Each structure stands twice: as structure tokens, then as C-alpha cells.
Amino acid sequence: MAAGTPLPRLARLVAGARRLVVLTGAGISTESGIPDYRGGEEHWACYGADCFTYDAFVGSAEVRRRYWRAAREFFALARAAEPNRAHRALVELEREGVLDAVVTQNVDGLHRRAGHAPARLVEIHGTAEWIRCLGCRRRLPAVEVYAALGDGEAPACPDCGGILKPDVVMFNEWIPASVAAEAAARVDGADALLVVGSSLLVQPCASLATRAKDAGARVGIVNLSATPYDGEMDVIVRGKACDVLPRVLADVRRARIPA
Ligand code: NAD
């Protein structure tokens, strides 16, 4: 890591980028009122850890019923939440022409609602805003499925009777190949990567940071706690996304005003 105060160095990293990619995790949404995974583990534990695993979900109607209770609670939280100052700062970086793409692990829809161009948003773990049939692959708006869903039920596909599942990637489930390839291509094309609000403990997303670094990109991390990769990266800012990103945006704008 280079010497100097982290925040100005992070702003220089962002302002100097030709193609900036931002990798976000649950921490960017905590200030919108959605608990992150590490902070929320105890909360979600009441549903039973097994119900977040793909094999258990597919294999047991009882697990599916528990999962749908948890999913309904998460969806209600996400719908009530609003994009925060950090989400909005990233949209402004896109409008400034600095940001190539946001690759997000989040499934809350807040980046989309903040206003990114769809082509610049890669939701690598899917989105809770849609429901997918595991049989015929039909996609249904979540809001309609939850409106018709009774408490303690697991819904079936109206077309084929197949298992319906929120269109999010569960533990032990493959990320769709096209989505994983898109995320990797964005990172490979970046000369700077900014990680925001991720523990970098969930693979394969976490490896995107080292992938970028190994390919010669500069990498900055904004996170409240340490990640396993901090020592290998260029700038680490220990702070809240809603404090840090608007300040980075302001510095980037200042750097772009001709003297
Ligand atoms: P994580 O919970 O493992 O880590 C979040 C990190 O964010 C922590 O290291 C924490 O210190 C940091 N953090 C918390 N609030 C912050 C803030 N205001 N500013 C800066 N940093 C902050 O999250 P992850 O790495 O994204 O992995 C968890 C998995 O759970 C992901 O797959 C994600 O899809 C899923 N998840 C998503 C949501 C969501 O969509 N909002 C919420 C919970 C979990």
C-alpha cells in the first residue's frame, strides 16, 4: 500500500481511472436499513441456516416453506428501503463518465432503483425483485407472487406447477454462466476497481478483487471492517459508504474542473 491519507488517495484512484468498476456488497445497503449478512446472521438464523442452501430448498417442501417466510421478510425490507447517498454517488460517477459498471452481490434492487443504466449493472447474485420457475424458467414479478402467497406457503408455478424460487443465487447454487462471464469481463476491462461494503468472504465474488489486482488494475476498498485482501490492495478506507462515496464524488468533480 502506498503512503498518504487514504481518502484523498482513493479519490485520486477513482479520478484517474479510465474504466472504473465498482464491486458492492451488503454493506452499501446497511445505511438504507437492510442488515448485511455478517451483521444479520443471528436475525436470519431463526429460519434455520439450511433453508438458504439450494439443495435443501429443492429437496424439501418444509425447507421451501421456511425459506419463503425469510424471503418475504427480506423483500418487504428491500421494498421499504430507499437508495442511500452511497448508491446515488455511484450513479453520479456513471453520469460523470467515470464508471464503467457496478457489479453487485446485492439482491435488494437498490442500485437499479438509484438509476444506473441497465447495461452498467451486473447483479451477480440475481435479484429479489423477480421469481423464477425452476421447471419452465418463467420469470414472475415478486410483488405479484407475494401478494397471492398465504403465510407458511411455498408457491408453485401458475404455468407448469414447478417449484418457484426468488431469482437470487443461494448457497451451493451456481451463478448463471452468462452473468459470471459478464462480471469477469467488466473486471478484466477495468483499470481501477473499487470494492464497497463487502467482507470479501463469499466466493467467487471475493476473487474478483484479486483478479483485478493480478491483471494490473488499481484496487481500493471502502469497508467498515477488515477483509482478507486488505494487505494486497492499493488503498483501504475504513469508513461508512455514505460518508466516503459522496466525498470521493466531490473530489472527482473538483479534479475535473479545468484550472
Ligand atoms: P457481508 O455481510 O459479508 O459483509 C458486509 C461488509 O460491509 C462487512 O465487512 C461490514 O463491515 C461492511 N459494512 C457494513 N455496513 C457498512 C457501511 N455502512 N459502509 C461500509 N461498509 C459497511 O456482505 P457481502 O460481502 O455482500 O456477502 C454477503 C452475501 O449476502 C452476498 O452474497 C449478498 O448477496 C448477500 N446479502 C445481500 C443483502 C442485500 O442485498 N442488501 C443483504 C444481506 C446479504
Side-chain angles (χ1 to χ4, degrees):
M1 248 187 288
T5 315
L7 195 63
R9 282 198 290 120
L10 185 74
R12 281 199 296 278
L13 184 151
V14 171
R18 281 177 293 103
R19 282 170 78 94
L20 172 75
V21 170
V22 179
L23 172 65
T24 66
I28 197 171
S29 294
T30 56
E31 290 169 89
S32 292
I34 304 176
D36 59 10
Y37 180 63
R38 309 292 140 191
E41 253 169 329
E42 277 173 32
H43 176 86
W44 300 106
C46 69
Y47 293 102
D50 59 337
C51 80
F52 299 102
T53 302
Y54 182 76
D55 299 339
F57 177 88
V58 173
S60 159
E62 186 274 327
V63 168
R64 285 198 290 282
R65 285 193 289 274
R66 270 193 281 133
Y67 178 80
W68 274 98
R69 274 214 192 93
R72 190 203 284 273
E73 184 187 341
F74 180 83
F75 185 66
L77 266 177
R79 289 259 297 172
E82 293 295 332
N84 62 41
R85 297 201 310 144
H87 294 106
R88 290 198 300 270
L90 294 182
V91 172
E92 291 304 315
L93 285 175
E94 178 183 319
R95 292 182 181 149
E96 292 283 335
V98 176
L99 182 120
D100 178 55
V102 172
V103 175
T104 187
Q105 301 170 80
N106 295 345
V107 298
D108 55 30
L110 291 181
H111 284 300
R112 185 191 62 72
R113 285 169 51 201
H116 285 286
R120 295 199 184 276
L121 181 60
V122 184
E123 293 175 310
I124 197 162
H125 287 167
T127 171
E129 296 180 304
W130 289 90
I131 308 295
R132 173 83 72 182
C133 173
L134 298 184
C136 67
R137 309 303 296 163
R138 180 174 169 188
R139 230 175 160 220
L140 301 153
V143 70
E144 290 176 14
V145 173
Y146 287 111
L149 184 67
D151 193 33
E153 288 177 7
C157 176
D159 285 353
C160 74
I163 294 174
L164 288 183
K165 175 183 155 301
D167 203 7
V168 303
V169 175
M170 300 175 79
F171 289 117
N172 291 356
E173 184 179 3
W174 289 100
I175 293 169
S178 60
V179 178
E182 168 75 3
R186 293 293 191 161
V187 168
D188 289 348
D191 63 340
L193 180 77
L194 177 60
V195 179
V196 183
S198 177
S199 61
L200 294 180
L201 290 173
V202 177
Q203 295 293 358
C205 290
S207 64
L208 291 173
T210 44
R211 184 182 177 112
K213 189 72 193 145
D214 291 347
R218 305 196 69 218
V219 182
I221 298 180
V222 178
N223 206 53
L224 276 180
S225 56
T227 84
Y229 304 105
D230 287 358
E232 300 165 47
M233 302 304 161
D234 296 282
V235 188
I236 307 297
V237 176
R238 196 70 70 233
K240 289 188 172 181
C242 285
D243 294 337
V244 175
L245 292 193
R247 288 164 71 187
V248 167
L249 172 67
D251 280 4
V252 167
R253 284 182 165 151
R254 225 172 284 128
R256 297 186 137 217
I257 298 169

